[in-house]
Structures are given as structure tokens and as C-alpha cells.
Amino acid sequence: MLHSLIQLLNLLMSEVTLKKLAGMLQLSISTVSRALKDHPDISIETKTKVKELSVLLDYEPNTFAINLRSNHCKEFGIIVPTITNDFYQSFISSLENEVRQYGYSLIILQSGDDPIIELANLKLCKQNRMAGIFVSITSKTTDINNFLKLDEHHIPVIFFDKVPSFEACNKVCVADEAAADMAAKELMLKKKKNILSIFGNPELLITQKRLKSFEDTVSGYGLSTQLYIHYALSSDEAREITMNSFKKVIKPDAIFCMTDEILMGVMKAIQQLELRTPQDVGVIAISDGFKPTLYYPEITYIETSGFKLAKLAFARMLACLGGSSYAQELRIESIVVSGGSL
Amino acid sequence: MLHSLIQLLNLLMSEVTLKKLAGMLQLSISTVSRALKDHPDISIETKTKVKELSVLLDYEPNTFAINLRSNHCKEFGIIVPTITNDFYQSFISSLENEVRQYGYSLIILQSGDDPIIELANLKLCKQNRMAGIFVSITSKTTDINNFLKLDEHHIPVIFFDKVPSFEACNKVCVADEAAADMAAKELMLKKKKNILSIFGNPELLITQKRLKSFEDTVSGYGLSTQLYIHYALSSDEAREITMNSFKKVIKPDAIFCMTDEILMGVMKAIQQLELRTPQDVGVIAISDGFKPTLYYPEITYIETSGFKLAKLAFARMLACLGGSSYAQELRIESIVVSGGSL
DNA sequence: AAGCTTTTCGCAAACGTTTGCGAAAAGCTT
DNA sequence: AAGCTTTTCGCAAACGTTTGCGAAAAGCTT
């Protein structure tokens, strides 16, 4: 009696392991291991004894040992330029919820839009033998061979949002062309004639796709619509572009904002100019859907949901882990959310 | 020659390990291990041979094995109600940058403001033997014993922002009282008489502290200032409160917003009511600093920087890992950022 | 009752590191 | 040249799991 009490005390001092459980129960480690996993070789009596003690002592298997044995862990990495962005935020939030349901964890890695750091993060994912990674590349990433190499190591790589143009890889995107097309159609329906069109970084594939689609749709209508195309790399640049546009003789009757960031700059300018939407100028954006609700009237936007995209990305990841090897490009459809600003 | 070529091919097929390196170099595993770590026992010639081959074959130590051996890993967990919040976003972004510099990774765990999930996340951190965790508790978390238990397992716990009232734990906060006090002073300086004061969840310690300090400061001035105290749990509630307040006979001449979320609702109401700041109504907020720049004129706010708080939290974490055991409550000072809305 | 099958468990190796200790070889002392 | 120190390396155990295989005990068959 005293003896087992001392044993118990010793146990409470340190970590509970299979070996300790086995020692107390006078069983072998393998039997304890199998009992806890309901292996058919073990008798009911032994199983209950083992399980009772393991609950009593709050036994928790050592993840490190399990990882070493199985040579993989239940962690995903996500590499983004920065998490301070509504779209990524909702993507990450949604993704974290998904992976948790499946017993995985999510490690965030910011590249700061720097390919060097991106590469370092990638290496970390490889070294930590992550179960898979999600990547939104930097605007300067040209070489994606390092990403493809991970695929060889059986670490699936899912690109999302900002994806490389290379074809043989897994990509999930919002409907770039379709979203720009929808925005253009909305503007045409309202018979807008002078449209200030502000796009993001022209080096990104997403910008090029959206611009082309936008222009094509507008010219497809064959109306005498004038597009004033600008690129803004920041909210502040968008604000200045807007301010300058309204100093001109021909003032825009509508503004198209390719991103939330641009929308923010545009709206600030509109407040500064004391313009009213939609009377003085119409506004439409492509957005995750949060920023447009900040204004009154709410901004009409084409929704590109980070939440939905994360679900799609995770589904694709599961498929890859399940053995689906051939690369796919998936996209989610957009919808128009009318807010009264157009 | 052919023999070593075959060896090389075999190696490229599978993972490179110390054993494989040792086999190719006709050395023992221990010698290879020590050579790579510049152990003084190993000769220069051996070291260079080992290192050259390891670079050639792109050897990367197996993290799982290292973790098992050392019984700890280089990962921190961060548990927050949700990451979709400017303050947490900048906190996490900043924290990720910090931990990366020190070779750590960051795992995000959202509780969804649910104590059950929070507990599950906590257990995960314990099971994965994380190096330490950062926690902002849910509004319903009452029992923090489970957190304290981690401390016994030598996993430091740093509470931030939403912290428990229990004293003997590590806490880093923004200057709750001081921030509310500063906001009150700004309002008094502008001689505001009817102040709509909207606070967050009244169950949170942070709300209680700010409210008390705010009221104390205002009454300390001894002026005939009227405070209209309200609580808003969402942006939309704040909007409605504001809308209703301006339907009253006595209209507010200033609005105090305890959080970004509240500010957003208030500003939307202001746009809807077509009021101008600061002429028609003054606005001041406690904020991380991003949202206030969205409006024109920019909102005057008391800065509670997530960036700075993250740096402080990480410094405290490092101290804990370094052996500092006694619990501390740390806070960062706030500053007033004038934007022209008051 | 002898031989067979089933039940129940333990041995031992393996995953890839790190590290205390010992031992051989080399260089040094007097 | 014998004994000593230094240099250089390998053996073996350990971290905590999982799992193939074998073996003892028990129950069954005819």
C-alpha cells in the first residue's frame, strides 16, 4: 500500500508515460499501448485496468514521440505577405476553424512580401515536416520551384488568392475575371460614362486578369464609355488619385475599386471632397465584404469571400492528403452585393 | 566509384539522416553529429568533410527527433477569441515577426469566445509541449486554474489585453485606466457638455476599468458635464445607440468610443445622419490606430498599440523562458493622436 | 489425453537525435 | 624508451512511441 503510494507520488512529480503506466500495472509497454488503442489482442479486463489508470493519472501521449515514429505531424503552415488584411484575416480565421475540426493546427508565417523571407518560411515548413502548406505568394515571387519541391516531399502545397501563373500546381482563387466582369456590367447597367478605375499592383497576375476582363466587358457594350485606368499600391495612393481626378474638368461619375485597400482611400477622398454617393458619384468595389459595411450608404461590391475560399482550399488539401495527386485550379464564384452606393 | 554513385542515388531517394552521412563517410553517427555542431573533440579535417557532404546532400536535422530528445519545441501558441479584430491582428502580426527572429513559430488558436474551445486549445498546447503561450481570455472565462497548471509544467503563460483579475499571473495590457482618463481629459479640454459614452462588454475587466476611470476623470473636473453611458456588444448596436441619441431633444456634442468596433458603428450613424465632425459632433476613440485613418477628418484617438503590446509580451515571454518566475503585470502607456474629429 | 486453435501478452527493434564515457592513437615529457 | 597527456573518435543508452513476431497459457477438438 505504502509502496504504491510512493509510486504514485513519483509519477505526479514527472510526466506520465507508457513506461510508467506499465510499471505500475505490471504490464509491458506494448500491452499498455495496445490497450489504450483498443487493439483486439488485449483482453477486456486489461483494457479497463489500463484505461482507468491512464485517466486517473491524466496520461497524455507524447506528441514528439508520435511524430518521430510516424514521420509526420498534424500541423499546416500558411504563408502570406501579411496577415493585416481583411481578406487574409477572414481566410485564416476560417481556415483555422476548419483545420481544428480535423485535429490539425495552423502555423502562420508572414513573408512581409519579401521573397527571401518567404523562402526561409518555406524551408521551415519543410524542416518541420508539416502536413501541408497554404501559400499566397509575394508580388515579387518569380521562381516557384522551391514550392514544387515540397510536393516531391509529399507535402501538398495549395496556392490561394495570389497564385503563380505556372500551371501544374494546386490553386484556389476567387473568380478574378468573373468578378471584374460583374463589376463592369453593374457600371454599364447604371449607364456610367466616365469611370475612374483603380487597380492594384500591376505586376500581380490577379491585377492583370481583372484589368483585362474589366476592359473587355466595358468595350463589349460598345458605348462611349471613358475609362480612366490607374494603379494604386496603397490606400493613400488611391486617395490621391481620387482627389486629382475630381480636379479635372471632366469628373468621374463612378469609381471602380479593385481591392478593399483602394476602396478605403477612395472613400476618404470622397468624404474630404464632401461628395455624396450615389448622387454625386457611384462607387463599386471588389471586396471581402467587411469594409463596404462601414459606410453609409453601404458600398455595392462584388464579393470575394475569404471564408468560402478557405473552405475550398482546405477541401483541396484534404483531397491531396488523401492521395489526389493531379494538380487542379479551383475557383469560387462571386456575387454582387448591392449596398446603395451605385 | 560506381558504388558511391549508387549510394548517392539511394540517398536522394529518401531522407538524409546522420546515419546515412555516417555510412558514406565511414564515420560514426556521433562523430557526424558533433562535427556538424562544431564540437571541439572533432578534428578540422573531419569537420570539413562532414560539413561539405551535408551541404551537398542538403542535410536537414529531423525536428521530431530533436524535439523528442530535448523534450521541448520551438513553437508558441496564441489563443484569442477571434483573429478578425484589428487589435489582435496587429498584435499577432507583430508577435509573429518577433518570434521568427528568435527561431520560433507561432500557432494560432481561436476560441470563438467559447470557454470550452478555449480549454481544448489549452490542452492542445500542453500536449504539444509548446514553449509558451499567449492568451487573451474569453469574456466568459472564470476559472483560470487550467492556465496556471501549465505554468507548473514549465510552459509560461502570458495573458494580454483581456486578462483575468487574478493577480499571481503574467499580464501585459494597454493602460486601460490611463487611456480612458486621457480620452476624458481631451473631452473636458474641448468643454464638451453632453457626451454619448459607448463602452464594450460590461462583463470584461477591461470595460469596468475604463468606465470607472472615465467617469472619475470627468467628475473630477467638477463641471456640469452630462454623461450618457451605453454598452454596445457589436458595431451595429453602437450604430443604433447613436441613431437614437440624436433623436432626443438634447443631442450629444461629443461621442466617446471605447473600441474600434464601436467607432465603426458610430461613424456609420454619423454618415447616415449627415453630421459633420467636428462641427456638429466631436468624436474620440480608444483604438489601435488603423480604423481612425479611414475617415476624413481622421478620428482623434488614444492609441493602444497592438504592435507595442506584442513586443512587450514577447519580451516578458523571453524573460520567463530565461528563468524569471515571479509573475508580473506590465502595461504600455498610451498617447493621444489628434486627427481633427474633436 | 494428445494435439490443435485461440487468446493474451511481451521482446525487441525502429524512428533520428544527443551525449557521457571509454578507448585507441598520437604526441609529448623526462 | 617508458610513461604521461592530448587528440580524436566510437559505443551505447536514452527520449516515448508503435508494431511484427514469437511464445506461453488457456480452451478446444476428436
Side-chain angles (χ1 to χ4, degrees):
Chain A
M1 199 56 211
L2 180 65
H3 183 231
S4 68
L5 194 65
I6 289 174
Q7 276 189 320
L8 192 64
L9 279 176
N10 276 335
L11 274 166
L12 291 177
M13 292 294 96
S14 59
E15 302 280 350
V16 184
T17 64
L18 288 184
K19 190 193 284 187
K20 301 231 176 96
L21 290 180
M24 293 196 70
L25 291 164
Q26 304 275 61
L27 286 169
S28 77
I29 296 175
S30 36
T31 301
V32 176
S33 170
R34 280 189 259 247
L36 289 173
K37 297 186 118 49
D38 263 332
H39 193 284
D41 269 8
I42 309 300
S43 68
I44 309 274
E45 301 86 54
T46 307
K47 278 182 187 169
T48 52
K49 268 197 301 182
V50 170
K51 286 179 184 174
E52 276 174 5
L53 188 66
S54 86
V55 169
L56 180 67
L57 298 184
D58 196 27
Y59 166 73
E60 282 172 359
N62 185 312
T63 312
F64 298 154
I66 293 172
N67 287 348
L68 177 60
R69 187 90 203 330
S70 64
N71 200 32
H72 67 77
C73 64
K74 304 211 78 178
E75 290 178 351
F76 291 119
I78 177 168
I79 306 179
V80 290
T82 169
I83 68 163
T84 56
N85 163 308
D86 275 357
F87 182 78
Y88 290 142
Q89 196 175 260
S90 62
F91 185 93
I92 296 173
S93 177
S94 170
L95 187 61
E96 194 275 333
N97 273 315
E98 291 287 319
V99 304
R100 181 154 34 79
Q101 317 274 340
Y102 284 77
Y104 287 86
S105 299
L106 192 61
I107 295 188
I108 45 165
L109 300 158
Q110 295 178 106
S111 64
D113 209 39
D114 179 347
I116 310 275
I117 300 182
E118 188 178 55
L119 189 58
N121 286 335
L122 198 61
K123 194 169 177 182
L124 187 75
C125 290
K126 191 173 142 211
Q127 239 183 304
N128 284 17
R129 287 165 172 73
M130 306 223 160
I133 63 176
F134 300 87
V135 189
S136 186
I137 61 175
T138 77
S139 54
K140 298 145 203 154
T141 302
T142 50
D143 182 13
I144 65 157
N145 275 318
N146 293 303
F147 292 99
L148 300 179
K149 222 174 277 173
L150 282 211
D151 265 322
E152 292 170 15
H153 283 261
H154 305 105
I155 301 180
V157 179
I158 312 282
F159 293 97
F160 70 96
D161 195 46
K162 285 166 188 158
V163 303
S165 48
F166 180 74
E167 292 195 351
C169 56
N170 280 295
K171 304 187 246 189
V172 296
C173 314
V174 295
D176 302 319
E177 284 100 345
D181 170 69
M182 288 167 86
K185 279 185 179 144
E186 292 294 315
L187 288 162
M188 291 300 96
L189 281 177
K190 299 282 181 176
K191 311 266 189 248
K192 297 298 179 183
K193 294 296 168 200
N194 294 293
I195 306 174
L196 172 58
S197 314
I198 311 184
F199 289 81
N201 191 330
E203 289 176 13
L204 285 173
L205 189 63
I206 193 170
T207 303
Q208 293 155 17
K209 282 188 176 177
R210 285 179 171 176
L211 175 59
K212 181 164 186 326
S213 169
F214 188 79
E215 283 180 320
D216 286 356
T217 302
V218 168
S219 66
Y221 272 77
L223 305 173
S224 61
T225 309
Q226 194 61 251
L227 289 185
Y228 304 93
I229 309 281
H230 288 267
Y231 301 100
L233 298 184
S234 71
S235 190
D236 226 48
E237 277 186 37
R239 191 180 62 83
E240 280 184 25
I241 290 167
T242 310
M243 293 299 288
N244 290 334
S245 295
F246 280 92
K247 284 181 191 149
K248 303 257 170 78
V249 179
I250 302 176
K251 302 194 195 310
D253 56 357
I255 308 180
F256 164 75
C257 311
M258 196 194 93
T259 66
D260 270 317
E261 209 178 355
I262 291 167
L263 172 65
M264 279 150 40
V266 166
M267 287 310 291
K268 200 167 165 187
I270 286 180
Q271 289 174 46
Q272 191 169 355
L273 294 162
E274 300 198 358
L275 298 171
R276 288 164 308 164
T277 55
Q279 301 93 319
D280 303 327
V281 63
V283 175
I284 189 166
I286 297 182
S287 164
D288 185 45
F290 178 70
K291 292 268 158 58
T293 66
L294 291 182
Y295 305 96
Y296 187 89
E298 294 189 355
I299 308 298
T300 294
Y301 66 97
I302 314 298
E303 188 202 45
T304 61
S305 163
F307 275 91
K308 283 186 202 161
L309 195 65
K311 284 184 191 297
L312 185 64
F314 184 63
R316 183 67 201 135
M317 176 64 84
L318 283 184
C320 287
L321 291 176
S324 166
S325 60
Y326 91 105
Q328 256 191 315
E329 176 161 1
L330 300 172
R331 39 186 69 255
I332 49 169
E333 292 313 312
S334 297
I335 53 167
V336 182
V337 180
S338 291
S341 67
L342 189 66
Chain B
M1 198 58 212
L2 180 66
H3 182 232
S4 68
L5 195 64
I6 290 173
Q7 275 188 321
L8 193 62
L9 280 174
N10 276 336
L11 274 165
L12 291 177
M13 290 296 96
S14 59
E15 302 281 349
V16 184
T17 64
L18 288 185
K19 191 193 284 187
K20 301 229 175 100
L21 290 181
M24 295 195 70
L25 291 165
Q26 303 275 60
L27 286 169
S28 77
I29 296 175
S30 35
T31 300
V32 175
S33 171
R34 279 189 260 247
L36 289 172
K37 297 186 117 50
D38 264 331
H39 192 284
D41 269 8
I42 310 299
S43 68
I44 310 275
E45 300 86 53
T46 307
K47 278 182 188 170
T48 51
K49 270 197 301 183
V50 170
K51 286 179 184 174
E52 276 174 5
L53 188 66
S54 85
V55 169
L56 180 68
L57 298 183
D58 196 27
Y59 166 73
E60 281 172 0
N62 185 312
T63 313
F64 299 155
I66 293 173
N67 288 347
L68 176 61
R69 187 87 203 334
S70 64
N71 200 32
H72 66 78
C73 63
K74 304 211 78 178
E75 290 178 352
F76 292 119
I78 177 166
I79 306 178
V80 291
T82 169
I83 68 163
T84 56
N85 163 310
D86 275 357
F87 182 78
Y88 291 142
Q89 195 174 262
S90 61
F91 185 94
I92 296 173
S93 177
S94 170
L95 188 61
E96 193 274 333
N97 273 314
E98 291 287 318
V99 304
R100 181 154 34 80
Q101 317 275 340
Y102 284 77
Y104 287 86
S105 299
L106 192 61
I107 295 188
I108 46 166
L109 300 158
Q110 295 179 105
S111 64
D113 209 39
D114 179 346
I116 311 274
I117 301 182
E118 187 178 55
L119 191 58
N121 286 335
L122 198 60
K123 194 169 176 182
L124 188 75
C125 290
K126 190 173 142 210
Q127 240 184 302
N128 284 17
R129 288 164 173 75
M130 306 223 160
I133 63 175
F134 300 87
V135 189
S136 185
I137 61 175
T138 77
S139 55
K140 299 144 202 155
T141 303
T142 50
D143 182 13
I144 65 157
N145 275 318
N146 293 304
F147 293 99
L148 301 179
K149 221 174 277 173
L150 282 210
D151 265 323
E152 292 170 15
H153 282 261
H154 304 106
I155 301 179
V157 179
I158 311 282
F159 293 98
F160 70 96
D161 195 45
K162 284 165 187 160
V163 303
S165 47
F166 180 74
E167 292 196 352
C169 56
N170 280 295
K171 303 187 246 189
V172 295
C173 314
V174 295
D176 302 320
E177 284 99 345
D181 169 70
M182 289 166 84
K185 277 183 180 147
E186 291 294 314
L187 288 162
M188 292 298 97
L189 281 176
K190 299 280 182 177
K191 311 267 188 248
K192 298 296 180 182
K193 293 298 168 199
N194 294 294
I195 305 174
L196 172 59
S197 313
I198 311 183
F199 290 82
N201 192 329
E203 289 176 13
L204 287 172
L205 189 62
I206 192 170
T207 303
Q208 293 154 18
K209 282 185 175 179
R210 285 179 172 174
L211 175 58
K212 180 166 186 327
S213 167
F214 189 78
E215 283 180 320
D216 286 355
T217 302
V218 168
S219 66
Y221 272 78
L223 305 174
S224 60
T225 309
Q226 193 61 249
L227 289 185
Y228 304 94
I229 310 281
H230 288 268
Y231 301 99
L233 298 183
S234 70
S235 189
D236 227 47
E237 277 186 38
R239 191 181 62 84
E240 280 184 25
I241 290 167
T242 310
M243 293 298 289
N244 289 334
S245 295
F246 280 91
K247 284 180 191 148
K248 302 258 170 74
V249 180
I250 303 177
K251 301 193 195 311
D253 56 358
I255 308 178
F256 165 76
C257 311
M258 196 195 93
T259 67
D260 269 318
E261 210 178 355
I262 292 167
L263 172 65
M264 279 150 39
V266 166
M267 287 309 292
K268 200 167 166 187
I270 285 179
Q271 289 174 47
Q272 190 169 356
L273 293 163
E274 300 197 358
L275 297 172
R276 290 164 307 165
T277 54
Q279 300 95 318
D280 302 328
V281 62
V283 176
I284 189 166
I286 297 181
S287 164
D288 184 45
F290 178 70
K291 292 268 159 57
T293 66
L294 291 182
Y295 305 97
Y296 187 89
E298 293 189 355
I299 308 299
T300 295
Y301 65 97
I302 314 297
E303 188 202 46
T304 61
S305 164
F307 275 91
K308 284 187 202 161
L309 195 65
K311 284 184 192 297
L312 185 65
F314 185 62
R316 183 68 202 134
M317 177 63 85
L318 283 184
C320 287
L321 291 176
S324 166
S325 60
Y326 90 107
Q328 257 191 315
E329 177 161 1
L330 299 171
R331 38 186 70 255
I332 50 168
E333 292 313 313
S334 297
I335 54 168
V336 182
V337 180
S338 291
S341 68
L342 190 65

